[in-house]
Amino acid sequence: MSSSMQRTPLREAPEPLEANDVATITVGVIVWFVLFLAQLPFYGWYSDHGHAWFIWSCLAGGSCGLLGLWYVRTRRDAIRRSRELPGPTAGE
């Protein structure tokens, strides 16, 4: 290995940042369903021009978002339960 390609020393990975995932996913789901409903009256035009998939993409995005919402709520609740359990802490 040449001297210019020396490996950098390994460092400990930082703790992951926690965000309000439930709120983020909820906003995304609302946006997808609003877009679906806003385009629905124009279905005929979209269909005539070969773009009906725009509408169905919004419905699929909202539906997948509902699955994501279930997942992040389940994850959040599991994290809360694990923090409430008595036991050794990470430093012990």
Side-chain angles (χ1 to χ4, degrees):
M1 194 178 329
S2 70
S3 62
S4 64
M5 301 220 11
Q6 292 179 2
R7 295 182 70 172
T8 56
L10 297 178
R11 294 181 231 169
E12 190 173 322
E15 288 293 320
L17 296 174
E18 288 295 329
N20 189 347
D21 299 334
V22 175
T24 303
I25 301 298
T26 301
V27 168
V29 168
I30 291 169
V31 168
W32 279 118
F33 282 127
V34 166
L35 289 171
F36 171 73
L37 293 174
Q39 293 180 82
L40 206 51
F42 306 102
Y43 182 80
W45 185 89
Y46 281 113
S47 183
D48 292 344
H49 292 85
H51 299 299
W53 66 271
F54 288 0
I55 296 172
W56 302 120
S57 294
C58 293
L59 183 61
S63 300
C64 289
L66 289 175
L67 179 64
L69 186 59
W70 169 81
Y71 176 81
V72 296
R73 290 179 71 178
T74 303
R75 177 182 177 271
R76 177 198 62 194
D77 296 342
I79 290 170
R80 281 186 185 158
R81 280 193 306 273
S82 71
R83 287 182 181 158
E84 293 171 358
L85 290 176
T89 59
E92 292 181 17

